[in-house]
Amino acid sequence: MVRDMPSTKDSAASRPRRGEAARWQTAVDVLRLVRRQPGITRAAAAQTLRLSSSSATEVTTRLRQLHLVEETVAATTGRGRPTGALRANPDGPTVAVVNIRHEDFQIAVVDLDGTIVETHQGRHTGDDPAGLIARLRTDLREVRDDYGFRLRAVSIVVAGTVSSGRLVQASTLDWHDVDLGALDDGHQPRLPILMGNDATLAGVAEARRGSGRDSRTMLYLTIEVGVGGVLIDNGVPAAGATGAGGEFGHLPFGDRDLACPCGARGCWDLEVDGRAMARHRGDRPPHDPRSYAVEAMTRADGDPATTAAVRRCATAFGSGVAGLVNALDPDTVVLGGLAPQLRQLFPDAVAEGFDSGLMVFRRASPPPLLATSLGAQAAVLGAAEVAFDAILTATGLAEWAAQP
Ligand SMILES: [Zn+2]
């Protein structure tokens, strides 16, 4: 899913020496913990990371001086001395997220505490990837001018399959083999560029900051055009060897007589989205399956043919989710995109597909199916998460500390 492009970061000259790296590693551990648990007290952080009180004080003081954490005095409990409540500092490093969607794009700046501080949008026709990338390069340059050294990485979200740093297939955009690394304008110092599929990144955000934050192994599934998703284990996506994993919509849960645009037959995609709803209603394949699905779902409590078509998709969705639960054994399933609405319309149909598809031993305590809590922002927040993973390292903090 994520590819760190070549960067001057990796040069031997800028790499901290071993003793120094160890010193920074404790700071990295504290900072990552504070981002995961905003408001954690210094004492609790010390306990979680098994640091002595003096070491915790030394590290948090250093992080505070570097504008990486803020510390407010927390209420004293019992006999202990007052201890500070820690939060990521919004004046610390930021990352830029470029979100390339079907008909528009978004550039967002996300700060260290996971807040989207700035966002702007533009439209594109979808038929000129090179032109769009040139435009995004210019826009990113402006963001970089605004934020200076505080901007530490660029993270790209795309509604397509990303493999080894390239967008290999985006059916909704009809793009094939686009080099997203071309967003790098060569300006020094070069920023790391990360990239990932929108569903994968939305899953990362849900697992860390959304509905799945109490889970250990979470399955994220979203319906847009087809089904996407990812399995997240302890906050880390299982995205495969090249980053192209999670293409659950192309499991052969469907009718083998149907050919999928991906090149395979019988894909689950074709049973649950707007294409399936149109086929069941006897309509021609829709130009925009997502809009078709949205419209069909709004009419699904009246018109009988539409109701039957959407209901059939709800059952097919539930049944496929059961297959994935059987195979992957998540403790929680989080639903995004159009999936929560589909389930809200026909909870009995989703449950019928799900319950009958589960292996018997799972039926007594199946994982809960929860709706997204981050909604449309999930992918951008997830892209920021993986970018901060890449820069909140011993090397990254040493570089940050070396800034004037
Ligand atoms: Zn397919």
Side-chain angles (χ1 to χ4, degrees):
M1 172 199 61
V2 168
R3 183 69 36 164
D4 197 346
M5 300 304 282
S7 154
T8 52
K9 275 176 68 157
D10 299 328
S11 74
S14 68
R15 208 179 295 145
R17 289 187 302 277
R18 188 176 296 182
E20 203 184 324
R23 200 168 78 95
W24 283 115
Q25 190 53 50
T26 309
V28 169
D29 294 343
V30 171
L31 186 51
R32 289 187 173 212
L33 179 64
V34 169
R35 292 191 75 247
R36 230 171 29 243
Q37 296 179 36
I40 188 172
T41 63
R42 196 192 329 141
Q47 197 177 23
T48 305
L49 298 172
R50 298 179 183 191
L51 300 174
S52 68
S53 166
S54 62
S55 170
T57 303
E58 188 265 323
V59 171
T60 52
T61 303
R62 188 147 44 103
L63 288 171
R64 218 175 51 226
Q65 286 164 348
L66 289 171
H67 298 281
L68 291 167
V69 302
E70 289 181 319
E71 190 167 12
T72 52
V73 177
T76 317
T77 52
R79 60 195 163 76
R81 283 172 295 179
T83 179
L86 304 168
R87 286 178 190 284
N89 190 328
D91 296 329
T94 62
V95 298
V97 176
V98 180
N99 186 12
I100 301 171
R101 295 182 293 208
H102 183 38
E103 289 172 326
D104 64 357
F105 66 85
Q106 183 186 16
I107 296 183
V109 177
V110 183
D111 72 18
L112 191 57
D113 74 357
T115 305
I116 299 175
V117 288
E118 181 184 320
T119 176
H120 78 263
Q121 271 159 307
R123 296 192 70 77
H124 68 89
T125 55
D127 53 14
D128 179 18
L132 175 60
I133 283 173
R135 182 172 162 196
L136 291 170
R137 212 162 36 216
T138 308
D139 290 3
L140 272 175
R141 188 59 198 271
E142 283 175 22
V143 173
R144 207 168 163 177
D145 289 346
D146 288 349
Y147 284 82
F149 73 91
R150 287 186 59 211
L151 191 75
R152 308 303 291 175
V154 174
S155 197
I156 306 167
V157 186
V158 67
T161 309
V162 174
S163 176
S164 301
R166 301 180 79 86
L167 171 65
V168 291
Q169 185 168 335
S171 312
T172 56
L173 285 164
D174 200 23
W175 289 7
H176 300 275
D177 200 27
V178 175
D179 179 11
L180 297 170
L183 274 174
D184 180 3
D185 66 359
H187 187 73
Q188 297 293 337
R190 289 173 72 194
L191 298 178
I193 297 186
L194 300 108
M195 57 196 71
N197 166 268
D198 54 352
T200 303
L201 294 169
V204 170
E206 290 291 347
R208 296 189 189 180
R209 293 177 177 269
S211 297
R213 63 175 300 152
D214 296 326
S215 69
R216 197 178 74 82
T217 303
M218 186 201 93
L219 174 64
Y220 177 72
L221 290 170
T222 177
I223 304 176
E224 296 288 345
V225 177
V227 188
V230 67
L231 185 74
I232 310 271
D233 207 20
N234 283 314
V236 180
T242 66
E247 296 288 353
F248 300 130
H250 303 282
L251 282 163
F253 291 163
D255 179 352
R256 279 200 47 82
D257 287 340
L258 296 176
C260 178
C262 79
R265 303 193 74 81
C267 291
W268 187 31
D269 263 13
L270 304 177
E271 305 300 323
V272 294
D273 70 3
R275 290 168 291 185
M277 293 174 194
R279 201 172 67 246
H280 298 328
R281 287 193 75 245
D283 285 349
R284 279 182 306 175
H287 173 66
D288 181 350
R290 191 184 191 281
S291 310
Y292 187 97
V294 169
E295 209 218 314
M297 285 196 285
T298 57
R299 284 191 292 139
D301 56 355
D303 170 48
T306 308
T307 306
V310 177
R311 169 178 276 280
R312 214 168 136 184
C313 292
T315 309
F317 180 66
S319 150
V321 177
L324 286 167
V325 167
N326 289 339
L328 300 172
D329 195 24
D331 57 51
T332 306
V333 180
V334 174
L335 306 179
L338 303 177
Q341 195 189 343
L342 185 63
R343 189 177 55 144
Q344 207 174 10
L345 275 172
F346 297 111
D348 56 327
V350 172
E352 183 199 323
F354 183 63
D355 296 343
S356 63
L358 283 178
M359 297 161 76
V360 168
F361 84 94
R362 295 190 189 278
R363 289 183 194 164
S365 59
L369 311 187
L370 307 176
T372 166
S373 61
L374 301 174
Q377 291 190 328
V380 167
L381 294 174
E385 285 297 313
V386 299
F388 280 118
D389 286 351
I391 60 173
L392 299 181
T393 60
T395 308
L397 291 203
E399 281 182 354
W400 174 258
Q403 297 294 332

